[in-house]
Amino acid sequence: MLSNIEVMKVVNGYIGVDGGYLVGFSYRSHEEFYPMYCGLDIDPNQYEGTTRQKFMKILSSVDAPTQAKILRGVLAYCPVDNEYHAERRLKHKPEIEEMIRRLEGESFPVVENPELTITSEFVERAIADAKALIENTGATSAVDRVHTLFHGYLKELCRKNNISFNDDANVTALFSLLRNNHPAFQNSGSNSPNVDRMIRSLGAIVDVFNPIRNRESMSHPNEVLLDEPEAILFINIARSVLQYINSKVR
């Protein structure tokens, strides 16, 4: 289902609002919009308010497949090439398309957090924050919190196992310390050189976490943020590595 913030992005961000009314929608065209562009039998006259208020009430109250149909109708009815709204709509169109994929069940699934055997109040708070951000505003908003979760977990794991580290140690340094000093990592559990090679490669993957968090997430006022598919990829990789570490030290 769409969150309240996503509904606002569709209305204020993509369609546009003028004097409290939807840009390009009269009461008559709004009535015709649902059967003609969405293939839906919805009567906006059953709702009170302006076209904007009616549209938001309808979009917020229907189920996920119906929401997807309405969003597809919005893209058809409100084209990007409108000379007055092209720039704004071009900016928000990828977000609308990602919402549609998710609502239709085609979005990339997000790997769930493992049940951590070693944790802290800080780590649990980061888990809760990341979960709320993913559900309410999307994966892009949660990249920073997932990085914080991963970072906090590595620190706590080092503390619990008396592995010394600098206070400013980043995830790359902490992951290296664990691999070299925690007894669980002295044996990969497999005689396969390919498995050993894969595990060593995790260090290179973890090393990318820092620049992504610092330059392409909401941790700073960055002008360029990860798109939703790449943000989901980051979160899935971070949680998968976390799952592996947790299973090794358990």
Side-chain angles (χ1 to χ4, degrees):
M1 297 289 290
L2 295 175
S3 67
N4 292 334
I5 293 176
E6 288 176 322
V7 172
M8 291 294 293
K9 284 183 178 181
V10 173
V11 173
N12 291 48
Y14 186 84
I15 299 175
V17 177
D18 184 12
Y21 292 83
L22 285 181
V23 169
F25 283 86
S26 64
Y27 284 105
R28 177 63 180 274
S29 63
H30 187 207
E31 183 179 348
E32 296 172 345
F33 166 74
Y34 298 99
M36 292 181 64
Y37 289 86
C38 311
L40 297 170
D41 184 19
I42 294 177
D43 182 8
N45 295 318
Q46 296 179 357
Y47 299 83
E48 296 183 355
T50 63
T51 51
R52 173 181 176 272
Q53 292 169 330
K54 291 182 177 185
F55 181 88
M56 291 183 67
K57 289 177 182 177
I58 292 170
L59 186 58
S60 299
S61 64
V62 295
D63 59 19
T66 306
Q67 286 182 333
K69 291 180 180 180
I70 293 175
L71 294 189
R72 287 195 178 280
V74 167
L75 294 181
Y77 185 80
C78 306
V80 169
D81 57 4
N82 182 295
E83 61 178 313
Y84 297 108
H85 310 287
E87 183 177 353
R88 185 184 71 249
R89 289 177 177 173
L90 185 63
K91 174 184 176 182
H92 290 283
K93 185 179 180 182
E95 293 181 88
I96 307 299
E97 291 173 332
E98 175 57 29
M99 291 177 198
I100 293 171
R101 286 192 291 270
R102 190 186 80 228
L103 293 167
E104 292 179 339
E106 297 177 3
S107 182
F108 297 106
V110 177
V111 174
E112 293 295 328
N113 275 313
E115 293 186 9
L116 302 177
T117 53
I118 294 178
T119 187
S120 66
E121 182 179 348
F122 177 84
V123 170
E124 292 302 317
R125 175 64 183 272
I127 290 174
D129 288 349
K131 183 175 185 296
L133 287 168
I134 291 171
E135 291 177 352
N136 294 320
T137 59
T140 300
S141 300
V143 167
D144 174 45
R145 291 290 86 194
V146 171
H147 181 281
T148 298
L149 156 64
F150 190 81
H151 196 185
Y153 174 76
L154 294 184
K155 282 190 171 183
E156 191 64 21
L157 191 54
C158 285
R159 289 192 190 99
K160 295 291 186 182
N161 290 274
N162 298 314
I163 299 174
S164 300
F165 60 90
N166 295 329
D167 289 340
D168 60 351
N170 60 26
V171 294
T172 305
L174 293 168
F175 185 70
S176 178
L177 284 170
L178 284 167
R179 283 183 56 219
N180 294 325
N181 295 282
H182 196 290
F185 291 94
Q186 304 314 305
N187 184 354
S188 68
S190 171
N191 294 321
S192 169
N194 292 321
V195 172
D196 293 334
R197 181 183 176 189
M198 179 177 64
I199 294 171
R200 288 195 301 271
S201 298
L202 291 178
I205 295 174
V206 170
D207 192 41
V208 182
F209 287 0
N210 294 309
I212 287 178
R213 182 261 180 189
N214 292 331
R215 302 170 192 168
E216 299 177 78
S217 80
M218 298 290 289
S219 62
H220 301 292
N222 295 307
E223 294 185 3
V224 178
L225 300 175
L226 289 181
D227 289 334
E228 192 76 2
E230 285 70 33
I232 293 173
L233 176 64
F234 175 92
I235 291 171
N236 282 347
I237 290 175
R239 287 180 169 177
S240 294
V241 176
L242 188 64
Q243 173 83 45
Y244 170 70
I245 296 173
N246 188 65
S247 67
K248 287 292 289 185
V249 303
R250 185 164 49 198

